[in-house]
Amino acid sequence: MAELTQKQLLDIVNTTHTAPGNPRVRELTGRIVADLFKTIDELDVSPDEFWSAVNWLNRLAQGGQTGLITAGLGFDRLLDIRMDEADAKAGRAAGTPRAIEGPLFVAGAPSSKFEVRLDEGEPKGELFVMEGQVRDVDGKPVAHAVMDVWHANEKGGYSHFFPGMQPYELRRQIETDAQGRYRFRSYLPPGYAIPPNSPTSELFEALGRHGNRPAHIHFLVVAPGLRTLTTQVNIPGDSFIDDDFAFATRDGLIVEIEKNVAPAGYESLGISAPFTRSRFDFVLQKALNASEALPLTRMERVTA
Ligand code: BEZ
Ligand code: FE
């Protein structure tokens, strides 16, 4: 092959093909490669810097940590902001705000109707009940909506990712009752921190950033004909509430906490003493098409 300038190389890389391929993939790859060529040239990236980055990417993927980096570099929230903007433009900005799914969802959690305990044995934090209703944007209760709930344990770890936890610990699926109601018992989780001594923490240390998330609980709420809602609520009072490394906290999603709630009526959740409660209703938009109502997480959508 002839000698090439940088520009000639970029042109060949981005135009060479023997079949049409996928035009969208060609368009996106072309842009990303062009931007990276430009970065390497303008910031004078050395071969050692380039191959260190490739080595880091390899280790990141081998450790299953790509989803930590997408969140920490703002991509997960960016996608939410773009969907919010599209909703506002289409006049359908309504209902409970969306919030990032994060990389720690696990499908197949045990399912219950109306109420469930997420924890087992003695509470490993402040005993807590969260309850409320699922409604559509017209205020109609949604019976038999299915809600996945998941949160971290007392050390900030998620089952299936954190050693020593039981399968599906602090993960459950709840089907709302005829009035659209749900409730669950658990304990108030602390925040989450990225794993130390990992490819993710290496990057955050190099960036001079922390890798903490404030205390939160995740939800995926689905019902026929309604737009699948992925969101999370925050527990007030956490020092990272306005400094989430994943940029995911939102004003409309910080729950109110009631202390010393009388136990009457909560016996079926094994509660016999005053406890901490939060009431939170989920309001789902109407789905405009079948895709919006799919009961799937972000990765299930693209791998189904
Ligand atoms: C979380 O929800 O816990 C989470 C979100 C993004 C990255 C890491 C963790
Ligand atoms: Fe989380």
Side-chain angles (χ1 to χ4, degrees):
M1 183 172 270
E3 293 304 312
L4 295 170
T5 64
Q6 292 190 36
K7 180 170 180 328
Q8 287 166 335
L9 174 62
L10 179 62
D11 286 346
I12 308 177
V13 171
N14 279 346
T15 56
T16 301
H17 58 295
T18 52
N22 178 321
R24 181 65 173 161
V25 172
R26 295 194 58 217
E27 179 187 25
L28 292 172
T29 304
R31 167 64 80 88
I32 292 165
V33 171
D35 287 350
L36 274 179
F37 269 45
K38 195 169 171 212
T39 303
I40 289 167
D41 194 40
E42 289 184 3
L43 300 188
D44 196 19
V45 173
S46 71
D48 283 354
E49 284 177 320
F50 181 82
W51 294 114
S52 300
V54 172
N55 173 266
W56 178 81
L57 282 171
N58 286 343
R59 289 185 292 115
L60 187 75
Q62 276 157 11
Q65 293 189 358
T66 52
L68 305 185
I69 293 297
T70 62
L73 295 183
F75 291 103
D76 299 21
R77 182 65 194 269
L78 172 69
L79 298 176
D80 278 356
I81 292 171
R82 282 179 42 78
M83 283 194 285
D84 289 350
E85 286 171 353
D87 284 359
K89 211 165 154 192
R92 63 188 301 230
T96 302
R98 55 171 64 85
I100 72 166
E101 182 184 307
L104 303 169
F105 175 84
V106 176
S111 190
S112 296
K113 290 187 195 312
F114 173 52
E115 67 175 2
V116 74
R117 262 189 86 162
L118 261 66
D119 64 330
E120 282 158 39
E122 284 300 305
K124 295 179 184 136
E126 186 172 337
L127 195 153
F128 167 71
V129 171
M130 183 158 165
E131 63 182 341
Q133 193 182 38
V134 178
R135 296 192 299 271
D136 68 15
V137 285
D138 297 329
K140 196 168 148 252
V142 184
H144 313 301
V146 174
M147 171 190 285
D148 267 279
V149 189
W150 67 107
H151 72 72
N153 76 353
E154 74 283 5
K155 295 180 181 135
Y158 284 83
S159 57
H160 295 245
F161 297 93
F162 191 78
M165 292 181 72
Q166 296 302 311
Y168 295 109
E169 189 175 340
L170 305 173
R171 301 177 185 275
R172 290 292 182 276
Q173 199 170 65
I174 309 169
E175 184 183 318
T176 58
D177 70 4
Q179 287 87 48
R181 294 175 308 172
Y182 74 91
R183 69 180 189 182
F184 64 87
R185 166 188 167 163
S186 193
Y187 55 87
L188 282 175
Y192 164 91
I194 54 173
N197 308 315
S198 66
T200 302
S201 68
E202 276 172 38
L203 179 68
F204 280 82
E205 275 159 33
L207 294 174
R209 284 184 54 190
H210 71 72
N212 296 293
R213 300 210 59 215
H216 61 277
I217 303 174
H218 296 265
F219 297 88
L220 175 75
V221 192
V222 303
L226 298 176
R227 192 178 195 183
T228 298
L229 174 70
T230 304
T231 195
Q232 46 183 280
V233 299
N234 280 97
I235 318 299
D238 192 300
S239 57
F240 288 105
I241 204 145
D242 291 317
D243 187 20
D244 178 1
F245 106 101
F247 312 101
T249 53
R250 303 191 67 167
D251 287 344
L253 296 173
I254 300 172
V255 293
E256 282 177 28
I257 296 284
E258 296 167 75
K259 302 262 181 188
N260 288 314
V261 175
Y266 292 86
E267 295 82 358
S268 55
L269 287 172
I271 295 178
S272 55
F275 66 100
T276 297
R277 177 174 71 187
S278 181
R279 294 177 193 267
F280 191 85
D281 295 343
F282 294 88
V283 178
L284 270 53
Q285 293 179 6
K286 303 262 164 66
L288 294 185
N289 52 54
S291 171
E292 285 189 353
L294 286 174
L296 301 176
T297 59
R298 61 189 197 178
M299 286 302 171
E300 288 169 335
R301 284 185 68 85
V302 296
T303 54

